[in-house]
Amino acid sequence: MVPATSHAFTQDDQRRLCTGDVFRLCASEIPNVERITACMRRQRASLSDGCRSVFGKPVEQSASAK
């Protein structure tokens, strides 16, 4: 469900760690993977520890991107 955001996790790992969070936080975005991923990034603070590890550290935005 979640595109590879960390090379340490297989797609099966990502599904196992994040499926519950997807249904809990971003169910309205299913089945659109890009929208699910964006939603999960927005909801990062609410993700389970396992799913948060899939997303790694938050990407800092440059001043021009804000």
Side-chain angles (χ1 to χ4, degrees), residues 1 15-16 26-28 31 34 42-44 48 50 55-56 63 65:
M1 268 195 219
R15 282 193 179 106
R16 179 176 49 81
C26 303
S28 64
E34 289 179 17
R42 285 192 306 273
Q43 297 290 338
R44 188 176 191 285
S48 63
F55 281 87

Side-chain angles (χ1 to χ4, degrees), residues 2-3 5-6 8-9 13-22 24-25 40-59:
V2 181
T5 55
S6 173
F9 294 96
D13 289 336
Q14 293 168 8
R15 282 193 179 106
R16 179 176 49 81
L17 293 168
C18 294
T19 296
D21 290 345
V22 169
R24 182 171 55 91
L25 300 167
M40 296 294 277
R41 287 188 177 128
R42 285 192 306 273
Q43 297 290 338
R44 188 176 191 285
S46 300
L47 298 178
S48 63
D49 290 340
C51 187
R52 193 176 303 129
S53 69
V54 170
F55 281 87
K57 294 181 181 178
V59 177

